[in-house]
Amino acid sequence: MWFDLDGLPVCFPYDAIYPEQHEYMGELKRALDARGHALLEMPTGTGKTAALISLITSYALANPSRPLRLFYCTRTVHEMEKTLAELRLLFSHLPPADACRLLALGLSSRKNLCVHPQVSASGAVDTGCRRLTASWVCEKAAYDRESATPLCDYFETFDAAARKGDLALYIQPGVYTLADLRSLGRERRICPYFLARHMVKHANVVVYSYQYLLDPRVASIVSSEMQKDCVVVFDEVHNIDNVCIEALSVSIRKQTIQGAKGNLRHISQQIDRFKATDASRLNAEYRRLVDGLAQRGNLPISDAWLANLALPDDILKEAVPGNIRKAEHFLTVLWRLVRNLDERVDTENVVNERPVSFATSIYSLAGIETTTLRFLYDRLQSLLLTLEITDTDEFMHIQKICDFATLIGTYKRGFSIIIEPYDDRMPDIRDPVIQLSCHDASLAIQPVFNRFQTVVITSGTLSPIDLYPRLLNFNPVISRSFTMSLTRDCICPMVLTRGSDQLPVSTKFDMRSDPGVVRNYGRLLLEMASAVPDGIVCFFVSYSYMDGIVSSWNDMGILQEIMQHKLVFIETPDVVETTLALDNYRKACDCGRGAVFFSVARGKVVEGIDFNRHYGRLVIMFGVPFQYTLSKILRARLEYLRETSQIQEGDFLTFDALVLILLRLHGRRTY
């Protein structure tokens, strides 16, 4: 259907539109007109994605003098595919003259796009890809054709077309899902990953993961050529502050340090080998650094390396310090840093420091200046490329330490370095860790707000909506929360405080292990399993609590009684196991047998999974999923938020827990 929205002709791919969708598009249009940011909340199930892409696409078509490109950021591949499906439906309703000039595609990792038979089947797709596509590998194959150097035929096709400028011939206007790109790659014998990476510069709509914009290491590779007039959408942003914080946080354990020592020994051997066989490469690298040229330079697309973890604008625009220009000198500095961290992690007491004091102690004990710390990751990247190392996963330990050093040398606020000899939850097992924890979510997302004229933050669960501008440090021109304007009796929420025997039930720490509480929870689930058809989803506050209560139910015989009515599947920290459990849960629901799925409210694997229709007739939340309040990292962040944003501890913890509850009830699309 077509309709007029304040003078803008809008194409909507459905025969009817909800009132809240119409209002949502109106607010979004005002944000585009004002060229400012928007913060919009609309209940899940009301067609937020369809409304958003319809309005932005129609706006771009109606304003050819102001070209708009949409970058739509999702949390999971599953949500990416759903968005692309909505785009395909929308494009099918556009006039042919408009549809034939629009290109939309999804972009994901090599793991999800590789079509090379051997590499895609391996466990290390990134490493396997680089072994066949690195520039020095291709150069060796071209120089010595008798060497039989293995190459990737799909990449060779891409590279040849890129050199001729013929890549546009391989991909026509339209919508391309990840499956479409893989099919195209197999059919045309061209690499879909590198093709998609290249076509991002020309596509009208790109759908990809949050990390492609929020993680500076990835953004510098994938999103560096995006223009200011692009519209950026972050969908399902209930946990965007945690995504930002995780992108700038690093944990170093004893195993990391031992692995880094092995990496340095390997690098030393490679340097000695190059000195004996091809010293010119090391000398050329040294001259390049002396001249103050960027280490990355214009790297071939196949050699693109993750950038340093610090934000690019925060790195000094100056030459690499002289004491780390020569490879052997740089290696000496890394050895001193690793030994210093090895000594620091062996402490018997909990340590909480700011980056400035930690960097000062590194200088006094290891003689490494703060400016030098800032350049360690970039210098390591330059050296690994010079040494022609393709097995990047093997060097993840020393990369993590250089990430840590670069952040320490770059930031003076918004971070804490916490050293813990023991985990509070396992005080008898020594597991020392140095945690560089970011407390300020705005550090990762602020470059996005500054770079693009319109950033849309949207979700079905944003309340209280006024907290996000304070957490992310931005001023939206439009901030609006929509409610369901139609009567839809789709959810019947109930809060139970007593069991069938009228005894209190609670997941408070001093009550959660009480046999009466455990038994009442089990009897509740048993009664629901016997009465509710199809699928039941249960969320627990933590893995440990779920394991304990399920074990108790098994000992009490309750679990066996539940299984007489429905099959039981359990989420685990292992991604493969949980994926298999979810598949079998869906099969049990599809065949009419019905099933119960035990999950964790803060589990990462279930993010973005829809328990719609018969997959989620009932959702049971066993307790309120508050964060572990004794965590040193959480305490440090709460203190930082209180000092800088005047966000009180209780407000933040309640907000965080309630967002998860709303997400599990509404965001699972149970209606």
Side-chain angles (χ1 to χ4, degrees):
M1 64 178 288
W2 285 83
F3 64 92
D4 182 87
L5 180 67
D6 296 334
L8 174 69
V10 176
C11 177
F12 190 69
Y14 296 98
D15 295 333
I17 184 171
Y18 293 140
E20 54 265 40
Q21 285 178 309
H22 191 276
E23 292 183 56
Y24 183 94
M25 286 191 274
E27 297 292 348
L28 185 58
K29 179 181 181 295
R30 281 187 276 279
L32 294 175
D33 289 338
R35 307 195 180 200
H37 308 314
L39 183 63
L40 300 172
E41 177 187 29
M42 188 166 76
T44 301
T46 50
K48 177 175 71 276
T49 301
L52 196 150
I53 60 177
S54 297
L55 187 281
I56 295 179
T57 301
S58 300
Y59 195 98
L61 292 173
N63 296 274
S65 60
R66 183 190 166 190
L68 291 179
R69 299 175 63 208
L70 171 61
F71 283 79
Y72 196 101
C73 302
T74 67
R75 293 172 299 147
T76 64
V77 172
H78 179 73
E79 290 179 343
M80 181 189 306
E81 295 284 21
K82 288 194 304 181
T83 303
L84 289 166
E86 290 280 5
L87 277 165
R88 175 165 288 163
L89 180 63
L90 173 64
F91 279 28
S92 68
H93 286 75
L94 291 174
D98 290 331
C100 70
R101 58 190 178 94
L102 295 177
L103 172 63
L105 56 83
L107 177 62
S108 188
S109 63
R110 287 177 170 91
K111 179 182 68 174
N112 293 323
L113 286 174
C114 179
V115 293
H116 189 282
Q118 288 75 41
V119 174
S120 60
S122 68
V125 176
D126 285 359
T127 296
C129 177
R130 290 192 179 95
R131 287 175 180 168
L132 302 179
T133 63
S135 60
W136 54 85
V137 174
C138 298
E139 290 171 4
K140 179 181 179 182
Y143 177 75
D144 186 3
R145 298 186 179 277
E146 297 181 359
S147 64
T149 302
L151 298 173
C152 175
D153 294 338
Y154 298 90
F155 176 75
E156 290 301 297
T157 304
F158 165 82
D159 192 47
R163 294 176 187 275
K164 295 178 182 177
D166 292 340
L167 285 175
L169 300 177
Y170 285 86
I171 187 166
Q172 302 301 315
V175 179
Y176 293 83
T177 65
L178 302 186
D180 294 333
L181 288 170
R182 289 192 297 268
S183 298
L184 175 66
R186 294 188 184 99
E187 179 183 340
R188 304 294 299 273
R189 302 291 296 179
I190 190 170
C191 176
Y193 170 73
F194 287 113
L195 179 62
R197 280 268 306 274
H198 175 82
M199 295 308 296
V200 163
K201 297 181 290 187
H202 308 286
N204 304 96
V205 183
V206 177
V207 184
Y208 57 17
S209 169
Y210 283 11
Q211 279 71 20
Y212 283 45
L213 267 180
L214 295 180
D215 191 328
R217 294 170 297 186
V218 184
S220 65
I221 299 174
V222 179
S223 308
S224 59
E225 298 185 11
M226 293 168 58
Q227 303 300 315
K228 183 175 178 62
D229 57 3
C230 295
V231 177
V232 175
V233 173
F234 289 103
D235 195 9
E236 299 298 341
V237 296
H238 54 274
N239 65 342
I240 193 170
D241 59 318
N242 291 326
V243 174
C244 294
I245 284 173
E246 289 172 6
L248 295 177
S249 297
V250 181
S251 293
I252 297 176
R253 298 185 179 274
K254 198 73 173 178
Q255 302 93 312
T256 308
I257 294 173
Q258 296 305 317
K261 291 179 179 178
N263 293 158
L264 292 179
R265 285 191 286 269
H266 189 172
I267 292 174
S268 179
Q269 294 170 1
Q270 291 293 94
I271 291 174
D272 292 340
R273 182 175 68 85
F274 267 75
K275 282 184 177 179
T277 60
D278 194 2
S280 61
R281 281 184 176 270
L282 294 172
N283 292 333
E285 180 191 45
Y286 174 74
R287 289 193 299 271
R288 188 170 67 250
L289 298 178
V290 169
D291 293 338
L293 302 177
Q295 298 95 295
R296 294 179 63 80
N298 294 318
L299 291 176
I301 190 172
S302 58
D303 291 351
W305 200 281
L306 292 180
N308 65 69
L309 194 54
L311 304 179
D313 291 342
D314 289 331
I315 293 297
L316 292 174
K317 301 294 190 287
E318 61 182 45
V320 172
N323 62 333
I324 59 173
R325 289 176 189 164
K326 284 188 174 293
E328 55 269 33
H329 295 167
F330 171 59
L331 207 61
T332 301
V333 169
L334 288 183
W335 270 114
R336 296 206 305 267
L337 175 62
V338 169
R339 292 190 181 107
N340 178 264
L341 295 177
D342 197 7
E343 294 173 0
R344 295 293 300 269
V345 79
D346 281 332
T347 182
E348 292 295 329
N349 302 310
V350 175
V351 177
N352 189 337
E353 291 189 53
R354 300 297 186 191
V356 173
S357 63
F358 199 87
T360 301
S361 68
I362 290 177
Y363 175 68
S364 61
L365 297 174
I368 305 174
E369 296 180 350
T370 302
T371 303
T372 300
L373 292 175
R374 302 180 68 155
F375 286 92
L376 289 188
Y377 188 89
D378 278 349
R379 182 66 187 91
L380 174 67
Q381 169 203 274
S382 176
L383 180 59
L384 293 179
L385 288 173
T386 299
L387 297 177
E388 300 181 349
I389 290 175
T390 56
D391 295 346
T392 53
D393 292 343
E394 180 184 345
F395 293 87
M396 60 179 294
H397 300 293
I398 191 62
Q399 290 180 59
K400 181 174 285 191
I401 286 180
C402 287
D403 274 345
F404 178 88
T406 298
L407 286 169
I408 291 292
T410 302
Y411 293 101
K412 296 181 180 179
R413 57 174 293 277
F415 288 81
S416 289
I417 297 94
I418 300 173
I419 307 176
E420 294 184 89
Y422 301 93
D423 189 322
D424 288 340
R425 287 167 286 190
M426 294 182 291
D428 298 328
I429 302 176
R430 183 172 174 79
D431 184 21
V433 58
I434 302 176
Q435 301 174 91
L436 175 63
S437 177
C438 177
H439 306 316
D440 191 346
S442 70
L443 293 176
I445 200 172
Q446 200 58 222
V448 180
F449 288 128
N450 294 336
R451 182 178 173 188
F452 303 108
Q453 64 184 21
T454 301
V455 177
V456 180
I457 304 291
T458 187
S459 181
T461 51
L462 286 179
S463 300
I465 198 169
D466 61 336
L467 201 58
Y468 282 90
R470 295 158 67 188
L471 285 173
L472 304 179
N473 191 26
F474 78 110
N475 296 312
V477 296
I478 298 294
S479 180
R480 178 82 183 275
S481 179
F482 298 93
T483 58
M484 285 188 178
S485 56
L486 299 179
T487 301
R488 301 172 200 168
D489 297 326
C490 48
I491 290 181
C492 177
M494 297 180 66
V495 178
L496 301 181
T497 59
R498 292 183 180 274
S500 57
D501 57 5
Q502 296 305 305
L503 290 176
V505 292
S506 173
T507 56
K508 290 171 59 178
F509 188 78
D510 57 349
M511 291 183 63
R512 64 173 54 178
S513 299
D514 184 276
V517 172
V518 174
R519 183 174 55 256
N520 271 315
Y521 277 148
R523 302 306 299 182
L524 168 66
L525 178 57
L526 176 59
E527 292 174 11
M528 294 298 102
S530 63
V532 177
D534 302 321
I536 297 177
V537 188
C538 302
F539 290 104
F540 297 84
V541 294
S542 67
Y543 282 110
S544 59
Y545 179 62
M546 179 177 69
D547 293 342
I549 201 168
V550 171
S551 177
S552 298
W553 286 346
N554 183 60
D555 295 339
M556 294 175 180
I558 294 176
L559 195 61
Q560 289 76 10
E561 293 185 59
I562 294 173
M563 293 179 68
Q564 291 179 6
H565 299 280
K566 297 181 185 294
L567 298 178
V568 175
F569 300 93
I570 303 177
E571 174 189 346
T572 71
D574 184 88
V575 176
V576 176
E577 289 180 357
T578 301
T579 301
L580 183 61
L582 276 170
D583 289 342
N584 289 325
Y585 170 81
R586 290 179 179 277
K587 290 178 182 178
C589 294
D590 289 340
C591 73
R593 176 71 170 82
V596 179
F597 189 79
F598 292 155
S599 184
V600 176
R602 296 185 181 275
K604 294 182 180 296
V605 179
V606 185
E607 286 291 327
I609 302 299
D610 285 352
F611 293 104
N612 56 334
R613 304 188 309 277
H614 60 295
Y615 297 129
R617 296 299 185 193
L618 172 69
V619 175
I620 301 178
M621 296 284 300
F622 290 105
V624 179
F626 288 108
Q627 293 194 49
Y628 179 61
T629 54
L630 296 181
S631 165
K632 305 292 190 305
I633 293 177
L634 177 60
R635 304 307 307 176
R637 187 185 181 199
L638 291 173
E639 180 182 351
Y640 179 83
L641 291 175
R642 185 171 59 253
E643 293 176 354
T644 59
S645 304
Q646 289 74 53
I647 298 175
Q648 298 303 310
E649 174 181 325
D651 294 341
F652 178 80
L653 292 175
T654 303
F655 153 78
D656 181 73
L658 290 181
V659 163
L660 275 177
I661 291 176
L662 291 173
L663 171 69
R664 296 304 177 246
L665 294 179
H666 293 274
R668 297 307 95 214
R669 286 126 176 134
T670 52
Y671 50 91

